Amino acid sequence: MTVRVPAKVNLQLAVGPLRDDGFHDLANVFHAVSLFDEVTASPADSLTLRVEGESIEGVPTGDDNLAARAARLLAQRLGVPAHAALTIRKNIPVAGGMAGGSADAAAALVACARLWGADVDLRPLAARLGSDVPFALLGGTAIGTGRGEVLTPVEVSGRFHWVFALADGGLSTPAVYAECDRLREARGERPGPPQASPDLMAALAAGDAKALGAALANDLEPAALSLRPALRDTLEAGRAFGALGALVSGSGPTCAFLADSADHAESLVAALTEAGVARSVVAAHGPVPGATVL
């Protein structure tokens, strides 16, 4: 049983104050894009995991892999042995702020549910695994509230074209949030309840790429730039080459650029590659569906 699952880019990530449970309230506008991992679940006498693909250094292959955790959680919910051979084929950047690990967990839930003949609501299990996992099930475009796991689909017209500049190495999501809190405290900022941008919602509904580019926002970007200053050069290069909008994706270090067409996206890929401001550069489009059985 093979399931394809997309990466995400955060069109807006509004971060509220730190909560007592250690999380932050968020208004997180997720957008699924056409960079995909595939997870295959096959019959087995135990739970095994294999990871394939390029640039998979840093992907855990033991019990702490999120896809393996998803399989065990589903088996516990069903009262069955967690017997499956999981194979993850990676194409989503690792530790790149594009929720690749969360995507794999969502795909593992769907694949194992099919493998084990289970008809069960996977959304509560996804939320237990992580804040980004429910969106990987849903796909499309959605606002995530709470810590990001409570989803409301968003109306989108047409297709948007993206370019992603992938950096060497990753950034720790907890470290980026901690740096965000530190920077805010140093500036004396007291963030209020996070809210989705009306301008962003209007641009998505109208399919207006120029307006969407102007409305892109990420409260974690200053923290990511503080921890990885070289990302400033990447963002500035994309803007100089005509991107309609540019931001760090999620907690980074991937940088996302909005193009006005597929041809413009390909020219941005070529220009950013020539400029040498990223390890690699790829084009994609969105929105696309969530975890899908192939």
Side-chain angles (χ1 to χ4, degrees):
M1 188 61 59
T2 298
V3 175
R4 185 177 69 177
V5 65
K8 60 83 181 169
V9 60
N10 301 94
L11 307 182
Q12 179 191 3
L13 182 50
V15 180
L18 184 65
R19 306 188 322 197
D20 291 341
D21 63 1
F23 291 98
H24 296 74
D25 281 318
L26 304 176
N28 195 351
V29 183
F30 295 104
H31 184 72
V33 297
S34 58
L35 297 175
F36 300 100
D37 282 358
E38 291 183 1
V39 176
T40 298
S42 304
D45 295 329
S46 62
L47 181 63
T48 64
L49 178 70
R50 185 171 76 251
V51 183
E52 303 173 345
E54 297 182 3
S55 301
I56 59 174
E57 296 83 4
V59 178
T61 57
D63 290 345
D64 54 345
N65 181 280
L66 203 55
R69 288 172 53 194
R72 289 195 300 272
L73 182 63
L74 177 61
Q76 182 183 38
R77 165 68 175 80
L78 299 175
V80 301
H83 290 174
L86 299 179
T87 301
I88 302 174
R89 297 174 184 87
K90 294 294 299 179
N91 190 46
I92 301 172
V94 176
M98 301 187 77
S102 295
D104 296 342
L109 286 175
V110 175
C112 288
R114 287 295 188 96
L115 179 68
W116 298 332
D119 182 12
V120 61
D121 185 359
L122 298 176
R123 291 172 296 180
L125 299 178
R128 288 178 59 185
L129 288 163
S131 300
D132 291 342
V133 182
F135 176 71
L137 288 176
L138 177 66
T141 305
I143 301 172
T145 54
R147 54 182 171 82
E149 82 283 11
V150 181
L151 298 174
T152 303
V154 170
E155 178 186 357
V156 177
S157 295
R159 173 181 286 188
F160 294 100
H161 298 277
W162 298 92
V163 170
F164 298 100
L166 314 179
D168 282 315
L171 274 174
S172 160
T173 296
V176 174
Y177 272 97
E179 180 69 359
C180 177
D181 292 336
R182 188 192 69 80
L183 291 174
R184 284 175 164 178
E185 184 175 357
R187 293 191 295 259
E189 292 183 9
R190 297 293 182 266
Q195 296 182 334
S197 162
D199 290 343
L200 187 77
M201 296 298 104
L204 289 168
D208 186 335
K210 185 176 180 180
L212 177 60
L216 298 174
N218 180 4
D219 285 356
L220 291 181
E221 185 171 299
L225 295 178
S226 174
L227 295 173
R228 191 74 67 84
L231 296 179
R232 293 184 187 276
D233 294 337
T234 307
L235 293 173
E236 290 171 3
R239 295 186 181 106
F241 293 134
L244 300 178
L247 81 172
V248 174
S249 177
S251 58
T254 297
C255 293
F257 304 95
L258 181 61
D260 62 14
S261 66
D263 287 344
H264 183 213
E266 290 302 330
S267 70
L268 269 175
V269 169
L272 288 166
T273 300
E274 178 68 20
V277 293
R279 172 175 55 82
S280 61
V281 188
V282 296
H285 64 266
V288 297
T292 302
V293 177
L294 297 181

